[in-house]
Amino acid sequence: MACCCLSADTKEKPLDLVHADRLLSSGEDINNVTNLIGNVHLKHGSTQLWSSRAVWYKKTDVVVFIDSVRLVDGSRILTGQMLTYYRNLGSATVTGDVVMMDQREELKISASRVDYDKDKDIFIATGGLKESEQPVFTIYPDDEYSRTRITSDTIIYSAGEKIGFANGSVVITRNDMVATCTQAEFRESGEEIILVGEPQVIQGKNLLEGDEIKLRTKDRTLTRMVIDGKAKATYLSQPDTALDQYTKAILEGKQLEVFFSDDKPFKSVMRRNATSHYIPAVNDTFVRGVNVASGDSITLFFDGSQVDRVLILGGARGHYVENKLHDGEVVPETTYYNGQQIDYKVNESLIELLWHSRLKYQKMSLDADRILYNINDEILIAEGLAEKTDSGEVVVGSPVLREGGDELYGKRMTYNIRTRKGKVELGETEFEGGFYKGKLLRQVEKDVLYVNSGYYTTCNLEKPHYYFYSQKMKMIT
């Protein structure tokens, strides 16, 4: 049903009968009730009304239009099965398969009943008891790429303010995106849609949820999604489309912002108490273990539908758990890491830690301002970072490797966790009261170090009083 209120000036204007094939009066008073039959057309100000037949109650200036009903007011066209028009109120009510089209604004309402108040420029659309009878508000109905469809129990739309409200069992669809909630507010032809009441957004295999979700478009293209309060995003990707197995990335925090290109996410940023869980599929050839991390913010970068990179900023820390076979038994082994920034490049199986970074595996720990960890090869590379000072550029945060009670210092380190072998450039270590320094230290066995261009001394000064020098030195600990 649609209701239309006219301005005061329009209300004072009479209803004009433009055409009807036949007029039949009811009763002796010809001014009481008139039946209009065949190609009925009435006019009230700028509002034009048509139907197959109508009943005109002249004392109250109420007209009931029946069959093939059409109301035209400017760019808006209302059609339905029955329309009741109140001249004194300037309102109209349309019921039965109602469709309202606004050609200028490119909007469409479909419902069992639509009420339209012209003074306030407001539409109220309601449906029947069945879900299939819910009213539908469609933005850009003829644009397949930008079309946004909103269904709910009740839809209220203020055309003048370009703002609408959907209440009860709300479902919003756009391309492959489906959003649900109990209440939604939409503005400016869908440039902003706000969802509250257990809102969720599903796009493909991805699920996003929180206390409030905002969808934003620009030039008909989805550009951003902002989720506030208990934000959570679950992204599923399929490494091998031939197998029904998925890699799962879960983000949780207080606020999530998702950026889109061509209606597909290319970046998601979780802020405030952000945590991430990355769980690879069984058949994932790049990653074999579960990666859990946290920080002030976590950003996921996407390559198509796959998570390509995880960037963690501010108080970043995490751990990587991989099941390994030891003596015929599967044993979980955990690698812990932290730094001011963690950059996890998924497809390269590479974790980069920056600034005051530490990586710890079993009894081994490594500190440096920059640590690279190749998960698949289990190789560590650690080095300091150049920093500008008043006296020039200096390297800070040079690596320190600790294992058991031993410490090894150097400019740059490479270490294989699996084989326990590594090398150190400009390295130094202490053993049983003696100090070893060299251009290159290589650990070839657990208790054996080779030192190139090195010296040994028991003097602990930066420039020792005495030392033994050798081009090649073997140290057995």
Side-chain angles (χ1 to χ4, degrees):
M1 202 183 269
C3 187
C4 164
C5 287
L6 305 180
S7 64
D9 290 343
T10 303
K11 292 174 187 176
E12 297 304 319
K13 292 182 179 180
L15 263 172
D16 295 326
L17 175 61
V18 179
H19 178 85
D21 292 346
R22 285 192 299 158
L23 279 73
L24 298 176
S25 296
S26 175
E28 295 180 359
D29 188 356
I30 193 171
N31 294 317
N32 187 13
V33 179
T34 301
N35 289 280
L36 310 174
I37 301 172
N39 297 308
V40 178
H41 179 193
L42 276 79
K43 180 181 178 183
H44 185 212
S46 62
T47 304
Q48 307 274 348
L49 303 112
W50 289 269
S51 68
S52 295
R53 55 195 178 95
V55 180
W56 189 350
Y57 302 91
K58 290 192 174 182
K59 281 189 176 181
T60 56
D61 259 346
V62 175
V63 183
V64 178
F65 295 82
I66 305 166
D67 293 336
S68 303
V69 172
R70 183 159 59 104
L71 180 153
V72 177
D73 188 14
S75 64
R76 297 165 188 159
I77 301 173
L78 269 165
T79 61
Q81 296 176 4
M82 181 179 290
L83 182 153
T84 303
Y85 191 80
Y86 306 88
R87 187 198 69 83
N88 291 335
L89 300 175
S91 64
T93 297
V94 185
T95 60
D97 299 324
V98 183
V99 175
M100 190 286 292
M101 290 289 299
D102 190 326
Q103 297 171 327
R104 184 179 61 236
E105 298 296 331
E106 296 185 78
L107 302 173
K108 178 182 177 181
I109 296 176
S110 304
S112 299
R113 170 179 175 142
V114 174
D115 294 303
Y116 170 43
D117 184 328
K118 189 170 182 179
D119 262 354
K120 298 178 181 178
D121 218 2
I122 292 177
F123 295 89
I124 301 175
T126 53
L129 297 176
K130 298 179 181 178
E131 186 177 331
S132 59
E133 297 174 344
Q134 282 186 314
V136 181
F137 188 97
T138 308
I139 304 167
Y140 305 126
D142 298 325
D143 187 337
E144 185 177 351
Y145 175 76
S146 304
R147 184 187 303 129
T148 302
R149 190 172 181 268
I150 302 170
T151 66
S152 68
D153 296 338
T154 303
I155 294 175
I156 302 171
Y157 181 65
S158 173
E161 297 179 357
K162 296 185 178 180
I163 182 173
F165 303 90
N167 297 294
S169 305
V170 181
V171 179
I172 301 170
T173 57
R174 178 188 171 96
N175 294 322
D176 66 341
M177 178 182 291
V178 179
T180 60
C181 61
T182 59
Q183 291 180 306
E185 177 182 326
F186 46 98
R187 303 170 179 267
E188 295 290 340
S189 297
E191 287 190 5
E192 181 176 64
I193 302 177
I194 303 171
L195 296 81
V196 295
E198 299 180 356
Q200 289 187 342
V201 174
I202 297 174
Q203 187 175 31
K205 297 289 184 180
N206 304 326
L207 171 64
L208 300 98
E209 51 196 325
D211 293 338
E212 179 186 85
I213 299 177
K214 295 177 183 176
L215 302 173
R216 289 174 179 158
T217 64
K218 185 177 182 181
D219 299 328
R220 301 194 180 195
T221 301
L222 182 64
T223 57
R224 280 199 304 158
M225 181 191 305
V226 179
I227 304 176
D228 285 306
K230 297 180 182 178
K232 182 179 180 180
T234 303
Y235 294 99
L236 299 181
S237 56
Q238 210 169 0
D240 188 345
T241 55
L243 299 174
D244 190 26
Q245 296 178 355
Y246 294 88
T247 291
K248 182 185 292 187
I250 302 173
L251 278 180
E252 293 180 284
K254 297 297 184 182
Q255 184 188 70
L256 175 66
E257 190 168 12
V258 185
F259 298 86
F260 292 83
S261 176
D262 296 327
D263 267 46
K264 300 294 183 182
F266 69 87
K267 182 172 72 173
S268 293
V269 183
M270 185 67 79
R271 301 183 180 93
R272 296 157 53 196
N273 301 325
T275 61
S276 71
H277 295 71
Y278 189 85
I279 307 167
V282 175
N283 62 316
D284 195 325
T285 58
F286 292 113
V287 183
R288 295 189 299 269
V290 176
N291 204 339
V292 180
S294 63
D296 294 341
S297 72
I298 299 177
T299 303
L300 298 187
F301 297 88
F302 298 91
D303 182 8
S305 62
Q306 309 288 325
V307 176
D308 181 55
R309 181 183 173 205
V310 182
L311 179 64
I312 307 170
L313 301 176
R317 63 182 60 250
H319 62 272
Y320 173 80
V321 182
E322 182 181 358
N323 290 326
K324 293 186 178 181
L325 193 63
H326 290 286
D327 299 327
E329 292 186 7
V330 176
V331 179
E333 292 190 356
T334 304
T335 302
Y336 298 90
Y337 54 87
N338 63 269
Q340 287 302 303
Q341 174 179 309
I342 298 174
D343 194 351
Y344 178 31
K345 297 173 182 177
V346 177
N347 289 343
E348 298 177 38
S349 299
L350 190 66
I351 297 175
E352 181 183 38
L353 315 177
L354 290 176
W355 300 297
H356 308 293
S357 305
R358 166 171 286 191
L359 189 142
K360 187 176 184 298
Y361 175 76
Q362 295 180 352
K363 296 181 179 181
M364 184 278 298
S365 68
L366 177 63
D367 294 87
D369 263 12
R370 181 173 185 260
I371 299 175
L372 289 174
Y373 176 43
N374 189 304
I375 295 172
N376 283 349
D377 297 334
E378 296 186 88
I379 291 177
L380 293 169
I381 298 175
E383 59 189 1
L385 294 174
E387 186 177 281
K388 291 184 179 180
T389 66
D390 294 339
S391 57
E393 192 174 85
V394 296
V395 174
V396 296
S398 294
V400 181
L401 179 68
R402 297 178 176 89
E403 188 164 13
D406 298 329
E407 293 186 355
L408 186 60
Y409 298 81
K411 179 182 178 182
R412 189 175 191 271
M413 292 185 183
T414 303
Y415 185 77
N416 189 310
I417 291 177
R418 189 186 303 123
T419 64
R420 295 290 200 277
K421 295 180 180 180
K423 62 180 181 179
V424 183
E425 297 177 18
L426 297 180
E428 62 178 271
T429 185
E430 179 182 0
F431 178 69
E432 293 185 351
F435 300 93
Y436 297 83
K437 294 186 179 182
K439 286 185 178 181
L440 181 66
L441 276 67
R442 288 183 296 124
Q443 185 169 8
V444 294
E445 296 178 25
K446 183 178 179 181
D447 300 323
V448 179
L449 279 176
Y450 285 154
V451 184
N452 289 0
S453 300
Y455 65 82
Y456 164 78
T457 181
T458 56
C459 179
N460 61 3
L461 297 177
E462 181 67 25
K463 294 183 179 180
H465 293 109
Y466 56 90
Y467 57 84
F468 295 97
Y469 173 82
S470 174
Q471 186 68 32
K472 293 183 179 180
M473 187 183 300
K474 180 178 182 181
M475 185 176 107
I476 300 174
T477 60

